[in-house]
Amino acid sequence: MMTKSESLFQEAVKYIPGGVNSPVRAFGSVGLTPRFIERARGSHMYDVDGREYLDFVGSWGPMILGHDHPAVRESVIKACEDGLSFGAATEREVEMAELICSLVPSIDMVRMVNSGTEAVMSAVRAARGYTGRDKIVKFMGCYHGHSDAMLVKAGSGVMTAGVPDSAGVPAGCTADTLSAVYNDLDSVQSLFDLCGDQIAAVIVEPVGANMGVVPPAEGFLQGLRDICTRYGSLLIFDEVITGFRLGLDGAQGYFGVQADLTTFGKIIGAGMPVGAYGGKREIMETVAPVGKVYQAGTLSGNPVAMAAGLAQLRLLRDDPLFYEKLNRKGDSFYGEIERIAEESGKPVRVNHVGSLGCVFFTEVPVVNYATAKTADTQKYAAYFASMLKQGIYLAPAQFEAMFLSAAHSEEELAYALECIKKSI
Ligand code: KE4
């Protein structure tokens, strides 16, 4: 007898490529049928077969307060009663822009878009428009969404798919994208030695979270800041994951390094489709309709999405202990996993920053793309399957992150640790 997820997946693959609307959801690298989720609340998700899961994906980051937070839900319902979209300016967009600018010191102005991909694509265009230069430096293993120029040695699903560069991307689109090694400032300097006066920007995930989780080495981010300043290039922090995850001023506040442009997604939409990019006034004023960098979007700043994001961001802003508690929860949880791994004697490495973490099946310390790639994806698949059987829902791929939320209780985390003990 097929489960409902199995029969739905059988249908889905007829009409949707791979049966999913985003590749990593297909469970391809763990070799299982994806679970079709019916609803979620707090730290739990429930699939169409009535199975309950303790969720460590949190929709890939947005659910920092847990799923279906009442204040977020109420704000969405109320916004819906006034209409879903007007294609016109609204008050909530002003409130959202003011809020982000008030919380992130490096941001004077911000533009809302509809995804992290769109935020990065637009920020890169603004950097090129502002500097008059074409080249962009990114890091192998960092994923910045699927715009053509960024699909070079990307992370996330591209890594799992074993396709370092995507099909369908003309060579011309990536000719100006240079790849450096994460945590290796010499690899960046050598690119600047070659063509520093042509480099518009360096874009980086201030915490690598798409090759699994890879923290920035001491001095790495500051080193990027110094190189960009020296050559008149812009430093773009892709904070689609770290933004409002590590703190109200994201990785910039957490590590004390300011970017020239910052991209956001996920948490600022609380689960609704929202992205944003922002930075210094003189850069953002190159963007249409003020400047000549064109960027637009039918649903950008959508009132319902803004209502969801505003509700979540205000809750994060108004709890002075929120991040201290969440980051401490992460230190304790991932620290326990590290202890379990060490006691097991198995070749397992654990990286984490705050509530973001990753269990790598390798004995090699994971500090960049090459060392992340030493992880045994088959062992991860077996670990994933064992955890799923015990009702723990992890990222269905080795090169992703675990996300803790305020909704994960101590008891739930203790149970997850017991499951990990049996599964690694
Ligand atoms: P979206 O276009 O998926 O909203 O954002 C792209 C993006 C940009 N920058 C960073 C640092 C990101 O992590 C992402 C997207 N993250 C993945 C998770 N690895 C989304 C999950 C998926 O692709 O389904």
Side-chain angles (χ1 to χ4, degrees), residues 20-367:
V20 291
N21 285 309
S22 196
V24 71
R25 301 180 197 168
F27 280 36
S29 77
V30 293
L32 294 173
T33 300
R35 299 299 190 262
F36 281 65
I37 301 301
E38 186 167 76
R39 62 187 178 87
R41 178 156 297 173
S43 55
H44 288 251
M45 293 204 294
Y46 305 84
D47 74 13
V48 292
D49 292 288
R51 293 188 187 124
E52 181 174 351
Y53 303 100
L54 179 57
D55 175 27
F56 286 96
V57 175
S59 183
W60 302 100
M63 303 307 170
I64 192 168
L65 292 174
H67 291 282
D68 196 27
H69 188 287
V72 174
R73 181 178 64 241
E74 286 316 309
S75 69
V76 168
I77 292 168
K78 188 173 174 316
C80 288
E81 286 163 354
D82 295 334
L84 300 183
S85 176
F86 316 121
T90 64
E91 185 176 2
R92 286 194 185 90
E93 292 166 89
V94 183
E95 291 174 329
M96 177 63 99
E98 278 175 341
L99 183 55
I100 290 175
C101 292
S102 70
L103 296 175
V104 188
S106 65
I107 295 186
D108 301 332
M109 300 189 95
V110 63
R111 166 62 63 84
M112 305 313 294
V113 293
N114 300 284
S115 70
T117 292
E118 207 183 339
V120 166
M121 182 175 70
S122 309
V124 164
R125 189 178 305 139
R128 286 170 160 162
Y130 175 76
T131 60
R133 302 176 182 180
D134 294 342
K135 295 198 183 304
I136 299 287
V137 174
K138 75 174 288 291
F139 293 88
M140 286 180 268
C142 284
Y143 177 69
H144 302 290
H146 63 89
S147 59
D148 283 348
M150 292 295 108
L151 282 175
V152 175
K153 300 280 184 298
S156 186
V158 180
M159 246 175 120
T160 319
V163 179
D165 300 316
S166 169
V169 176
C173 291
T174 55
D176 289 315
T177 307
L178 311 175
S179 291
V181 177
Y182 199 80
N183 281 327
D184 178 348
L185 286 170
D186 290 345
S187 74
V188 180
Q189 185 57 59
S190 58
L191 293 173
F192 275 83
D193 291 345
L194 268 180
C195 57
D197 58 351
Q198 300 169 51
I199 295 175
V202 172
I203 184 167
V204 67
E205 288 183 62
V207 175
N210 285 288
M211 46 180 146
V213 173
V214 178
E218 185 63 37
F220 175 61
L221 298 177
Q222 186 57 52
L224 296 180
R225 176 65 279 165
D226 297 342
I227 290 173
C228 287
T229 304
R230 199 176 319 132
Y231 284 85
S233 305
L234 300 187
L235 179 58
I236 303 175
F237 269 16
D238 179 350
E239 296 222 40
V240 167
I241 283 188
T242 56
F244 303 100
R245 164 70 49 183
L246 299 182
L248 281 176
D249 45 1
Q252 297 176 59
Y254 194 89
F255 294 107
V257 176
Q258 285 211 339
D260 298 305
L261 284 171
T262 305
T263 56
F264 297 103
K266 301 180 192 276
I267 289 175
I268 66 167
M272 297 294 283
V274 179
Y277 65 105
K280 299 180 189 320
R281 183 173 298 281
E282 70 263 23
I283 302 170
M284 291 303 291
E285 287 189 335
T286 64
V287 177
V290 183
K292 297 192 176 338
V293 175
Y294 193 71
Q295 180 266 308
T298 304
L299 298 176
S300 296
N302 172 275
V304 179
M306 293 297 100
L310 280 166
Q312 176 145 280
L313 291 185
R314 285 167 176 158
L315 286 167
L316 297 173
R317 177 198 60 192
D318 296 345
D319 177 352
L321 297 176
F322 181 85
Y323 288 101
E324 186 187 330
K325 284 188 294 190
L326 183 66
N327 291 339
R328 196 175 330 115
K329 185 188 279 188
D331 292 343
S332 155
F333 180 66
Y334 296 114
E336 274 302 300
I337 301 177
E338 224 160 357
R339 189 183 54 74
I340 291 167
E342 278 154 20
E343 282 174 6
S344 74
K346 302 273 181 67
V348 170
R349 290 278 174 172
V350 182
N351 283 353
H352 90 279
V353 179
S355 57
L356 287 174
C358 185
V359 176
F360 290 96
F361 286 81
T362 178
E363 58 197 4
V364 174
V366 179
V367 295

